[in-house]
Amino acid sequence: MKPVRMKDIARDLGVSVITVSKALRDHSDISAATRARVLKRVKELNYKPNYAARALVTGRSNMIGLVVPDLVHSFYSEIGNGLGGVLRKAGYNLVISSSEEDQEIESQVIDQLIARRVDCLVIASSNWTAAALKRVIEANIPFVLIDRRVPGIDANFVGGDDELIGVIATEHLIEVGCKTIAHIGGAKITPARGRLEGYKKTLAKHRLALGPEYIVTHDMLDESAHEVGYESAMSLLKLNPRPDGIFCFSDPLAIGTMRAILDAGLRVPEDVALVGCGNLHYDVFLRIPLTSVDQQSFAIGERAATLAIAMIDAESQSGPKPKPRSILLQPKLIIRESTYRKIHA
Amino acid sequence: MKPVRMKDIARDLGVSVITVSKALRDHSDISAATRARVLKRVKELNYKPNYAARALVTGRSNMIGLVVPDLVHSFYSEIGNGLGGVLRKAGYNLVISSSEEDQEIESQVIDQLIARRVDCLVIASSNWTAAALKRVIEANIPFVLIDRRVPGIDANFVGGDDELIGVIATEHLIEVGCKTIAHIGGAKITPARGRLEGYKKTLAKHRLALGPEYIVTHDMLDESAHEVGYESAMSLLKLNPRPDGIFCFSDPLAIGTMRAILDAGLRVPEDVALVGCGNLHYDVFLRIPLTSVDQQSFAIGERAATLAIAMIDAESQSGPKPKPRSILLQPKLIIRESTYRKIHA
DNA sequence: TTGAAAGCGTTACCAG
DNA sequence: CTGGTAACGCTTTCAA
């Protein structure tokens, strides 16, 4: 039982395949009567156009590829949701691949998506070798980077204002009276560097700068962030003077940190105040509700989708390519109990 | 700058396109020397096969469609992860669509995926009208249902043993001394019914059956589960006698319930013990760590992928279709503080 | 307003 | 072992 083809409809109606094709795509030069007949038969036979055939001739697949390091981390699934909604309404399908934060796998899935001739790639890459990106550029496929930039590549980007995130978090800790503020972060990825930068600048501005032992960085899977946070915090708490505030790169890190503080017999926020980043939806239900910097992940997805569609459209017009744009979403501090402290000032 | 085609490679090497095609697919009747030359040139030119063209002629797209009600809920993203890993290794791509728990959207995305000629559909449907499924069957596309069954449809299924989940959760509450056990659940979806059934049977077995006012059910988006749990729990807590144990259909529901109990000035687990379902990774970090029944969501994804691939292979062999299988994963109780109680027995 | 011819990049079938 | 021919289902271009 083969799928219905345009040919079948054309035969039934005594018209040509071309007529059917045009009627289906609302081409102007088709009589209303013919179109109606076609549409009627289409419905009767439950005809579905074959996208592969269409893609072959038009050169457009109507698919967008999304590559993320980790599907399970809600930050990325929210991005996926934002993307998916916009794309669905625009008639695109979303092909999602997880790189599992592994460079090898990332290359492999990107190659796959190139072979699929996706119309645009949306990529949150971690260990980014320019090599993988180069293949995308060579394949002449437009792409949008999200969340993480690639040093040396001037590409379209949608993400958070990471330095500002670092500033906001650190300023807040200072405001609630912290004097010895530590940071637990990522290592190589650009958001980690931006947030660290914001943290450092803010400390410097307030003349609170500390030795490097108050900064712990690791590259990690989000899955293991809890444990990394726990271990990192444990070592930070042994320092003298002990930190009275900790700014964590992500909420999962902050959750591990919180557990370490409590296990060490200290109180949050009285002894150590804590700020995370991501504003995950369960933050409010934690042992101690977590103050966090919201990154607007859903909006990142939406904006990336809009940008992707714009790039595809620009591609089909043979005009000059628009310059790459950087869209930075404004971070917003969400204050919860983990930083409710008397202001010592 | 057009993508490289087999034709280009054939021309460069002075062989035919067919030879290239065969060499690329490890066809037996090609000399090692020729294959080596082809592969070398393929690498040099960074050739990527055009999957659309291949799909057109083979009738197989090497894509699998996944339809879930909500990408953000970690239950589904874990399923997606399990699926994605297995499929990637088998050379398939995953096209993911969220139905946003909306029947209209669900139909629409399923139609899209049919038009894409995905080789198999993996579907977790909520408001399932047989109609949507019928189109899949008519299109002759194999499919696997996950998590939620469709009444009246004898299809391949991978999910949890929901009645057993209800039994395990309720037995546990009884064991820790609860006498008045309420249930907050879903309404129409089959897992909700199964868990409710297990709950009821267990109460009956222990002669603890209660009036229907101790059971609250709602169909809901996972996004709103927190609030639904909160409201439902608030009303349950006004009953006389007051419940001393609550079994919630999902962890998000349980989190809302926990908040309601605490807001009502009661203690967990001393006044009300609480069991959820899903064993989400943050359960352990909640205000009161949550006892939960693990559903093995990652495994559900893996098994669904394996099944999907098996169905596709079976399809290509013209043998008789294997009978639909039901794969039920064993639930496992994870005990945490929300049910640590003295045993009153 | 309609249609005929050509072709998109690939693979299947069958000859050489 | 190699290759020609046809076909997959659709759209584009141009002519009627």
Side-chain angles (χ1 to χ4, degrees):
Chain A
M1 204 176 94
K2 290 247 174 179
V4 182
R5 297 152 308 168
M6 290 203 332
K7 196 193 287 186
D8 303 317
I9 296 178
R11 181 179 16 78
D12 291 0
L13 263 45
V15 298
S16 78
V17 176
I18 301 91
T19 306
V20 177
S21 169
K22 286 179 180 166
L24 279 172
R25 283 172 302 138
D26 276 340
H27 231 265
S28 58
D29 40 66
I30 280 290
S31 74
T34 311
R35 172 169 318 154
R37 286 175 61 215
V38 170
L39 294 181
K40 178 160 170 284
R41 193 70 188 142
V42 160
K43 200 154 211 173
E44 285 168 4
L45 295 183
N46 193 24
Y47 166 80
K48 300 267 191 325
N50 184 323
Y51 281 45
R54 181 180 287 180
L56 189 56
V57 54
T58 60
R60 295 185 45 190
S61 63
N62 268 284
M63 297 191 297
I64 298 219
L66 173 63
V67 181
V68 292
D70 180 1
L71 251 184
V72 172
H73 187 21
S74 17
F75 175 64
Y76 294 113
S77 31
E78 282 186 23
I79 289 180
N81 236 23
L83 261 169
V86 173
L87 292 184
R88 179 175 51 72
K89 283 166 199 150
Y92 287 91
N93 277 117
L94 187 58
V95 187
I96 302 187
S97 295
S98 164
S99 66
E100 296 168 37
E101 203 82 85
D102 175 310
Q103 199 158 346
E104 190 83 28
I105 296 178
E106 183 167 287
S107 283
Q108 188 192 329
V109 301
I110 287 180
D111 277 348
Q112 281 261 342
L113 294 171
I114 294 176
R116 287 247 174 255
R117 303 294 193 269
V118 293
D119 294 331
C120 184
L121 271 169
V122 180
I123 305 175
S125 175
S126 44
N127 296 313
W128 195 269
T129 57
L133 241 199
K134 237 173 75 185
R135 285 211 297 284
V136 178
I137 295 171
E138 274 170 11
N140 206 27
I141 295 182
F143 64 97
V144 180
L145 298 182
I146 53 173
D147 184 40
R148 304 168 175 194
R149 289 170 185 280
V150 177
I153 299 275
D154 184 30
N156 285 282
F157 175 80
V158 183
D161 185 337
D162 289 300
E163 188 167 321
L164 186 51
I165 287 174
V167 170
I168 287 176
T170 312
E171 284 284 1
H172 176 61
L173 286 172
I174 292 172
E175 252 171 43
V176 300
C178 298
K179 302 287 182 203
T180 312
I181 301 173
H183 175 60
I184 302 177
K188 298 201 212 83
I189 57 176
T190 57
R193 293 208 282 237
R195 291 175 204 176
L196 174 59
E197 199 56 33
Y199 156 86
K200 279 184 176 169
K201 282 190 181 165
T202 307
L203 288 192
K205 180 179 157 201
H206 290 269
R207 306 188 188 287
L208 289 171
L210 295 163
E213 67 274 21
Y214 286 88
I215 298 172
V216 186
T217 63
H218 286 288
D219 269 322
M220 75 207 90
L221 256 176
D222 280 300
E223 212 172 335
S224 59
H226 293 139
E227 290 202 16
V228 172
Y230 188 90
E231 301 298 335
S232 306
M234 276 302 184
S235 75
L236 284 175
L237 292 174
K238 290 190 188 117
L239 293 175
N240 188 353
R242 199 181 63 208
D244 57 0
I246 301 181
F247 160 44
C248 290
F249 170 76
S250 74
D251 284 348
L253 270 179
I255 288 172
T257 299
M258 184 187 294
R259 199 156 58 91
I261 298 170
L262 299 177
D263 279 4
L266 300 168
R267 295 161 305 168
V268 177
E270 293 83 351
D271 297 311
V272 187
L274 192 56
V275 177
C277 184
N279 191 27
L280 303 188
H281 59 288
Y282 54 76
D283 283 351
V284 67
F285 303 110
L286 296 176
R287 190 94 52 114
I288 293 132
L290 180 67
T291 294
S292 183
V293 184
D294 190 285
Q295 294 179 81
Q296 300 204 58
S297 39
F298 187 81
I300 290 179
E302 290 184 317
R303 302 295 292 269
T306 312
L307 193 50
I309 293 171
M311 291 178 77
I312 296 170
D313 291 345
E315 197 82 0
S316 68
Q317 331 231 330
S318 49
K321 293 202 182 173
K323 268 190 64 176
R325 291 205 296 153
S326 253
I327 298 177
L328 295 189
L329 287 130
Q330 284 306 299
K332 199 178 153 207
L333 184 70
I334 310 293
I335 300 174
R336 301 199 182 89
E337 287 181 31
S338 75
T339 57
Y340 278 156
R341 284 170 41 133
K342 296 276 159 31
I343 293 183
H344 298 199
Chain B
M1 204 175 91
K2 290 247 174 180
V4 182
R5 295 152 309 168
M6 291 200 335
K7 197 193 287 185
D8 302 317
I9 295 176
R11 181 181 16 77
D12 292 359
L13 263 47
V15 298
S16 79
V17 176
I18 300 89
T19 307
V20 177
S21 170
K22 285 179 181 166
L24 280 171
R25 284 172 302 140
D26 277 339
H27 231 265
S28 58
D29 40 65
I30 280 289
S31 74
T34 312
R35 172 169 318 156
R37 287 175 61 215
V38 170
L39 294 182
K40 176 159 171 287
R41 192 70 187 141
V42 160
K43 201 153 211 173
E44 286 167 3
L45 294 183
N46 192 25
Y47 165 80
K48 299 266 190 325
N50 183 323
Y51 282 43
R54 182 180 287 182
L56 188 56
V57 56
T58 61
R60 296 185 45 191
S61 64
N62 269 283
M63 297 191 296
I64 299 220
L66 173 64
V67 181
V68 293
D70 180 1
L71 251 183
V72 173
H73 187 21
S74 14
F75 176 62
Y76 294 113
S77 32
E78 283 185 23
I79 289 180
N81 237 23
L83 262 168
V86 174
L87 292 183
R88 180 175 49 73
K89 284 166 199 149
Y92 286 92
N93 277 117
L94 187 57
V95 187
I96 301 187
S97 295
S98 164
S99 66
E100 295 168 38
E101 203 83 85
D102 177 309
Q103 200 159 345
E104 190 84 27
I105 296 179
E106 182 168 288
S107 283
Q108 188 192 328
V109 302
I110 287 180
D111 277 349
Q112 282 260 341
L113 294 171
I114 294 175
R116 288 247 173 255
R117 304 291 193 269
V118 293
D119 295 330
C120 185
L121 271 169
V122 179
I123 307 175
S125 175
S126 45
N127 296 313
W128 195 269
T129 57
L133 241 199
K134 236 173 75 185
R135 284 211 297 285
V136 178
I137 295 171
E138 273 169 13
N140 205 26
I141 295 182
F143 64 96
V144 180
L145 298 181
I146 54 173
D147 184 41
R148 304 166 175 196
R149 289 169 185 280
V150 177
I153 299 275
D154 183 32
N156 285 283
F157 175 79
V158 183
D161 185 337
D162 289 301
E163 190 168 320
L164 185 52
I165 288 174
V167 170
I168 287 176
T170 313
E171 284 285 0
H172 176 61
L173 287 170
I174 293 173
E175 252 170 42
V176 299
C178 299
K179 303 285 183 201
T180 312
I181 300 174
H183 175 59
I184 302 178
K188 297 202 213 82
I189 56 174
T190 56
R193 293 209 283 237
R195 292 174 205 177
L196 174 59
E197 200 56 34
Y199 155 86
K200 279 183 175 168
K201 281 191 181 165
T202 306
L203 287 192
K205 180 180 157 198
H206 290 269
R207 305 188 187 289
L208 289 171
L210 296 162
E213 66 274 21
Y214 286 89
I215 299 171
V216 187
T217 63
H218 285 289
D219 270 322
M220 75 207 90
L221 257 176
D222 280 299
E223 213 172 335
S224 58
H226 293 139
E227 290 200 16
V228 172
Y230 188 90
E231 300 299 336
S232 306
M234 276 302 185
S235 74
L236 284 174
L237 292 174
K238 290 189 187 115
L239 292 176
N240 187 353
R242 199 180 63 208
D244 56 0
I246 302 181
F247 160 45
C248 290
F249 170 77
S250 74
D251 283 348
L253 270 179
I255 288 172
T257 299
M258 184 186 295
R259 199 156 59 91
I261 297 170
L262 299 177
D263 279 5
L266 300 168
R267 295 162 304 167
V268 176
E270 292 84 351
D271 298 311
V272 187
L274 192 57
V275 177
C277 183
N279 190 29
L280 303 188
H281 58 286
Y282 53 77
D283 282 352
V284 68
F285 303 110
L286 295 175
R287 189 95 53 113
I288 293 130
L290 180 66
T291 294
S292 183
V293 184
D294 189 287
Q295 293 180 82
Q296 300 205 59
S297 39
F298 188 81
I300 291 178
E302 290 184 317
R303 301 295 293 269
T306 312
L307 193 50
I309 293 171
M311 291 178 78
I312 295 170
D313 291 345
E315 197 82 359
S316 68
Q317 332 230 331
S318 49
K321 293 201 181 170
K323 268 191 63 175
R325 291 205 296 154
S326 254
I327 298 177
L328 295 190
L329 288 130
Q330 284 307 300
K332 198 178 154 205
L333 183 70
I334 310 292
I335 301 174
R336 302 198 183 89
E337 286 180 31
S338 75
T339 57
Y340 277 156
R341 283 169 42 132
K342 296 276 157 30
I343 293 183
H344 297 199

